[in-house]
């Protein structure tokens, strides 16, 4: 979907960033600006400034900056389009879709109306279940027996579905409404060939209810638990146009602020784990919805934090769940992200463990969680006798598919070294086992075609160099002559050519790029949205998707100037992007330092912020 830049500018002009931010952050007037505790990192003294005149926010501690739209993207986890639509709805404005055909606009409008209809009936059911909870002594007694307070029950919107076949008939004017079936609230048994009448009845009956919310806080489904030992113990909403178990996480909406404050996400296995952990001091807990952890789950979490800890039961089922989570996390485990695995004693889940041993004991388990690198080695060596050559060979075979899922970087190379040590081979020997060579010619880590090889003809004087060295020399020569005039252009060219680099960026990097002036900021926001929804795409696919987008002209110009005939080595591209972004961060910090000095005239704390910024800038400059 392409949104005209003129509309975005009008929307930002109408929105008051102080009002938008103030809904989530407690702000106090401080001179010309408003100040508050930063919602993007943990701090004790306010360093988060919101300017009503300049209409932007900025944190002197972590460097986050942007406007009303970028705040909704960063804090609420919305995509650029979602943030624009959310803001437009608040002002009664309709987002234009001039680039779409009338047929496409009609289909899109129908789809949105359908989604709104589904979330409306689900929200109405959630309210009804909450009212029923107040009148059910059995349901209230169950939650009290689990130690839940009324505050936590209200925070998660907990409810109760009465023990009746058609209880929702008293909630909705028409029990025959197709939306009740499509939303999963009502089950429809069609008439059979013998003329049996159609039967409709409530899916959830005599269960405590856990509303499932999307990142915007809309109810998209339910989980229901029996009060006794009946089966099935848990019952979830079916897949619907607004609910997919493989993409949604229970409790993520409620945990957004805690994820940033505590610095990590704690992924558990069930609804009660999340609610109980919140009650007991771990509000950063989320849970998969009765299904194995997927890459979509992990990717969604990395939009809010760079550290994820999976907490599973210590039994065989918990180990199997952790193994699936490992597979989902490996492709996203870049050098700037942390993934760990926490295993409790077999007789405990997080709720029971904290109640028996206390919050501090559980925090100790969290601190000692197994790093991804160690868990990968443990998974690969399972069933292998490392005292025999056969056992070590089996470990090498088991480890290879796991290792190859990792993105290029220092972590991947270090894990190869650990595997090589275990199988008693050098890194080079293990690489040759995994990637056999033919004769004397070494296979390049990134294969090149004959046409690409011929394009190195201008390096004829160095034809005796290894192919990998000649390729690197050519890349360096090209980058020196092809770097666009601005760093924003250069960053855009890198990501358009190799979209997978987005996996290696930190949340600070994403914010820096998306908050750039048009058309660069809009291009980076669009690329991030495409990456979250569709994964890494080639330039050919991106070019089609950009048709009609406000940044299309910029992207076409950059890629026309860029010689894409020679593909860069992935690790070289990541390193190049990291150096470039560090330079851009340094420039931003210099501006922040200037603002801090100016602010120090009326705010003594600004000098402290200035020194922190200066120290960080020097660290970045040292790393270049």
């Amino acid at each position: 979907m392409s949104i005209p830049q003129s509309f975005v500018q009008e929307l930002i002009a109408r929105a008051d960033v102080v009002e938008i931010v103030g809904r989530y952050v407690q702000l106090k007037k401080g001179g010309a600006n408003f100040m508050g505790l930063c919602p993007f990192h943990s701090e004790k003294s306010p360093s988060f400034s919101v300017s009503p005149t300049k209409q932007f926010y900025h944190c002197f501690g972590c460097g986050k900056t942007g406007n009303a739209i970028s705040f909704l993207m960063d804090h609420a986890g919305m995509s650029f389009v979602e943030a624009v639509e959310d803001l437009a709805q608040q002002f009664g404005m309709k987002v234009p879709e001039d680039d779409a055909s009338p047929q496409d606009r009609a289909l899109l409008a129908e789809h949105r109306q359908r989604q709104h209809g589904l979330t409306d009936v689900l929200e109405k059911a959630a309210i009804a279940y909450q009212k029923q909870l107040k009148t059910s002594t059995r349901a209230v007694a169950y939650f009290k027996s689990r130690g839940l307070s009324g505050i936590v029950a209200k925070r998660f919107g907990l409810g109760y579905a009465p023990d009746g076949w058609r209880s929702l008939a008293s909630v909705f004017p028409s029990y025959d409404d197709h939306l009740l079936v499509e939303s999963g609230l009502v089950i429809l048994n069609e008439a059979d060939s013998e003329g049996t009448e159609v039967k409709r009845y409530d899916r959830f009956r005599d269960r405590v209810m856990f509303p499932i919310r999307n990142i915007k806080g809309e109810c998209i489904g339910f989980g229901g638990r029996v009060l006794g030992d009946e089966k099935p113990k848990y019952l979830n909403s079916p897949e619907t146009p607004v609910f997919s178990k493989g993409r949604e996480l229970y409790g993520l909406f409620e945990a957004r602020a805690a994820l940033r404050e505590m610095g990590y996400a704690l992924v558990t296995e069930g609804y009660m784990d999340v609610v109980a952990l919140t009650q007991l001091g771990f509000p950063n807990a989320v849970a998969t919805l009765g299904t194995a952890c997927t890459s979509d789950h992990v990717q969604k979490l990395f939009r809010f934090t760079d550290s994820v800890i999976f907490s599973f039961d210590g039994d065989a089922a918990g180990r199997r769940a952790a193994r699936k989570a490992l597979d989902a996390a490996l492709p996203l485990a870049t050098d700037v992200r942390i993934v760990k695995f926490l295993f409790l004693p077999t007789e405990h889940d997080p709720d029971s463990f904290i109640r028996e041993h206390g919050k501090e004991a559980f925090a100790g388990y969290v601190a000692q969680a197994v790093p991804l690198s160690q868990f990968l080695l443990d998974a690969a060596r399972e069933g292998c006798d490392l005292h025999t050559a056969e056992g070590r060979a089996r470990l090498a075979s088991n480890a290879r598919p796991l290792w190859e899922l990792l993105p290029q970087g220092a972590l991947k190379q270090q894990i190869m070294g650990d595997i090589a040590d275990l199988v008693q081979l050098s890194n080079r020997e293990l690489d040759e086992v995994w990637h056999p060579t033919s004769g004397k010619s070494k296979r390049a880590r990134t294969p090149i075609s004959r046409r690409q090889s011929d394009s190195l003809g201008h390096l004829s004087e160095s034809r005796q160099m290894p192919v990998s060295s000649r390729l690197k020399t050519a890349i360096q020569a090209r980058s020196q002559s092809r770097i666009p005039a601005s760093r924003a252009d250069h960053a855009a060219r890198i990501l358009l050519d190799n979209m997978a680099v987005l996996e290696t960026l930190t949340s600070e990097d994403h914010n820096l790029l998306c908050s750039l002036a048009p058309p660069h900021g809009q291009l980076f926001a669009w690329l991030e949205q495409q990456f979250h929804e569709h994964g890494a795409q080639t330039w050919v696919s991106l070019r089609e998707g950009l048709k009609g987008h406000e940044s299309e002209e910029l992207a076409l110009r950059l890629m026309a100037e860029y010689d894409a005939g020679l593909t860069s080595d992935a690790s070289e591209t990541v390193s190049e992007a990291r150096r470039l972004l560090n330079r851009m961060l340094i420039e931003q910090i210099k501006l922040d330092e200037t603002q801090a000095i100016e602010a120090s005239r009326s705010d003594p704390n600004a000098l402290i912020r200035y020194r922190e910024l200066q120290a960080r800038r020097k660290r970045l400059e040292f790393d270049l």
Side-chain angles (χ1 to χ4, degrees):
M1 175 181 177
S2 176
I3 303 174
Q5 182 59 29
S6 58
F7 177 82
V8 176
Q9 291 173 341
E10 181 185 356
L11 187 61
I12 293 176
R14 288 198 188 188
D16 181 3
V17 70
V18 176
E19 179 187 355
I20 301 300
V21 174
R23 296 173 186 171
Y24 304 91
V25 180
Q26 186 174 356
L27 299 174
K28 292 184 179 180
K29 197 78 166 67
N33 299 330
F34 288 82
M35 299 295 295
L37 295 176
C38 180
F40 303 112
H41 80 287
S42 179
E43 62 177 6
K44 295 182 179 179
S45 59
S47 62
F48 186 75
S49 173
V50 185
S51 171
T53 55
K54 298 179 181 179
Q55 283 297 301
F56 73 87
Y57 62 86
H58 177 75
C59 177
F60 293 95
C62 67
K64 283 280 189 180
T65 188
N67 55 31
I69 292 177
S70 62
F71 183 83
L72 291 175
M73 292 171 65
D74 288 333
H75 189 267
M78 300 181 188
S79 67
F80 175 73
V81 173
E82 289 172 337
V84 170
E85 289 179 339
D86 184 87
L87 206 55
Q89 187 177 16
Q90 296 178 35
F91 295 100
M93 300 170 65
K94 184 177 180 180
V95 180
E97 300 157 8
D98 296 335
D99 60 324
S101 66
Q103 294 82 1
D104 289 340
R105 285 200 296 270
L107 287 173
L108 183 60
E110 182 182 350
H111 176 68
R112 285 177 179 165
Q113 185 176 5
R114 183 185 180 194
Q115 287 188 315
H116 287 318
L118 290 171
T119 54
D120 284 345
V121 299
L122 288 164
E123 192 65 42
K124 193 171 183 179
I127 294 172
Y129 291 144
Q130 290 168 30
K131 291 179 179 178
Q132 289 290 340
L133 176 62
K134 296 177 182 178
T135 63
S136 172
T137 55
R138 289 177 62 242
V140 170
Y142 171 79
F143 282 133
K144 285 185 176 180
S145 71
R146 302 297 297 263
L148 299 185
S149 67
I151 295 175
V152 170
K154 183 177 180 180
R155 174 176 180 175
F156 287 92
L158 304 184
Y160 172 68
D163 186 12
W165 288 97
R166 296 166 66 93
S167 298
L168 290 177
S170 62
V171 178
F172 295 95
S174 174
Y175 194 69
D176 293 334
D177 190 341
H178 71 94
L179 288 175
L180 295 179
V181 175
E182 193 173 1
S183 65
L185 290 170
V186 169
I187 294 176
L188 172 65
N189 280 345
E190 298 286 358
D192 58 25
S193 57
E194 298 180 358
T196 303
E197 64 176 323
V198 175
K199 293 183 179 179
R200 293 172 182 264
Y201 55 92
D202 293 359
R203 179 181 300 273
F204 300 102
R205 304 179 304 279
D206 194 24
R207 292 174 180 267
V208 288
M209 300 295 288
F210 300 83
I212 302 166
R213 294 165 174 153
N214 63 16
I215 202 62
K216 292 189 289 185
E218 299 169 332
C219 183
I220 56 175
F222 291 95
R225 190 196 190 283
V226 296
L227 298 176
D229 297 324
E230 299 84 4
K231 302 295 182 182
K233 180 186 293 186
Y234 283 98
L235 182 65
N236 297 321
S237 290
E239 298 277 318
T240 71
V242 296
F243 175 57
S244 172
K245 291 186 292 185
R247 291 197 297 267
E248 302 296 340
L249 289 157
Y250 178 71
L252 181 58
F253 173 76
E254 292 81 3
R256 292 170 304 158
L259 294 180
R260 296 186 175 98
E261 291 171 6
M262 302 187 72
Y264 69 95
L266 187 62
V267 184
T268 63
E269 295 186 80
Y271 303 101
M272 277 306 305
D273 284 335
V274 172
V275 177
L277 282 170
T278 300
Q279 174 79 50
L280 298 169
F282 292 89
N284 56 328
V286 299
T288 53
L289 297 162
T291 185
C293 184
T294 67
S295 59
D296 285 337
H297 289 143
V298 181
Q299 197 169 73
K300 183 167 285 191
L301 286 170
F302 279 136
R303 294 174 67 177
F304 295 90
T305 179
D306 290 329
S307 180
V308 175
I309 298 178
F310 294 98
S311 174
F312 297 107
D313 299 345
D315 56 14
R319 301 290 297 192
R320 288 193 298 270
R323 183 64 175 75
K324 292 178 180 178
L326 173 67
D327 291 338
L330 282 171
L332 303 170
T334 64
D335 292 346
V336 296
R337 292 170 176 167
I338 297 172
V339 178
K340 294 183 177 181
F341 296 83
L342 166 63
F343 297 100
L344 296 172
T346 55
E347 68 274 14
H348 282 296
D349 59 25
D351 180 21
S352 66
F353 183 89
I354 295 179
R355 294 188 187 285
E356 183 172 331
H357 299 284
K359 176 181 176 181
E360 290 73 19
F362 184 77
Y365 264 81
V366 170
Q368 297 172 17
V370 178
L372 174 141
S373 57
Q374 183 59 53
F375 189 48
L376 184 153
L377 296 177
D378 292 343
R381 69 191 297 173
E382 188 173 356
C384 301
D385 183 359
L386 300 189
H387 296 293
T388 66
E390 292 83 356
R392 293 191 293 272
R394 182 179 178 184
L395 186 153
S397 178
N398 292 345
R400 178 181 175 180
L402 298 175
W403 181 84
E404 289 184 339
L405 286 174
L406 286 163
Q408 292 295 335
L411 176 63
K412 186 171 188 176
Q413 294 307 311
Q414 290 179 84
I415 291 177
M416 170 180 263
D418 292 338
I419 297 169
D421 289 342
L422 287 173
V423 299
Q424 298 181 15
L425 295 174
S426 67
N427 286 23
R428 179 184 59 78
E429 290 169 334
L430 180 60
D431 187 49
E432 288 179 352
V433 170
W434 283 350
H435 309 99
T437 57
S438 176
K440 295 182 179 180
S441 62
K442 302 290 184 182
R443 186 172 75 174
R445 185 63 55 87
T446 303
I448 61 173
S449 66
R450 181 179 298 277
R451 177 177 62 83
Q452 291 169 337
S453 180
D454 290 343
S455 71
L456 301 177
H458 64 282
L459 298 175
S460 56
E461 68 276 9
S462 58
R463 272 298 193 187
Q464 301 306 313
M465 296 169 60
V467 173
S468 59
S469 298
R470 286 190 279 112
L471 181 60
K472 183 175 181 180
T473 302
I475 291 170
Q476 291 173 340
R478 185 193 68 193
S479 64
Q480 291 172 0
S481 60
R482 294 284 184 177
I483 291 178
S486 76
R487 285 174 178 152
D489 281 356
H490 192 188
R493 190 271 299 165
I494 289 176
L495 296 179
L496 288 168
D497 181 47
N498 191 342
M499 199 178 180
V501 173
L502 281 167
E503 290 184 355
T504 69
L505 305 188
T506 66
S507 56
E508 182 181 30
D509 297 332
H510 286 293
N511 183 72
L512 173 68
L513 294 175
C514 292
S515 62
L516 290 174
H520 293 86
Q522 280 67 34
L523 176 59
F524 290 123
W526 181 84
L527 282 171
E528 184 172 345
Q529 176 196 354
Q530 293 294 307
F531 183 72
H532 284 308
E533 293 180 358
H534 307 293
Q537 302 174 59
T538 63
W539 162 238
V540 175
S541 299
L542 292 173
R543 184 173 56 197
E544 291 299 313
L546 275 165
K547 286 183 177 178
H549 191 269
E550 57 264 38
S551 302
E552 178 185 13
E553 182 180 349
L554 169 67
L556 292 176
R557 173 177 63 80
L558 292 176
M559 296 307 284
E561 296 173 356
Y562 167 60
D563 179 10
L566 188 61
T567 302
S568 303
D569 180 82
S571 59
E572 288 290 333
T573 304
V574 170
S575 299
E576 180 184 11
R578 184 67 268 155
R579 290 192 296 270
L580 174 64
L581 283 164
N582 281 352
R583 291 190 180 98
M584 295 174 73
L585 287 169
I586 288 170
E587 292 303 316
Q588 179 63 50
I589 291 173
K590 287 180 179 177
L591 295 175
D592 296 341
E593 288 177 3
T594 302
Q595 292 181 358
I597 291 175
E598 293 176 355
S600 66
R601 298 172 183 173
S602 57
D603 180 9
N605 291 327
L607 285 176
I608 299 175
R609 294 195 292 270
Y610 169 76
R611 295 189 188 98
E612 292 174 347
L613 290 166
Q614 186 182 52
R616 184 159 187 264
R617 173 174 56 81
K618 289 182 178 179
R619 288 196 299 271
L620 288 171
E621 289 172 340
F622 179 80
D623 291 336
L624 287 179

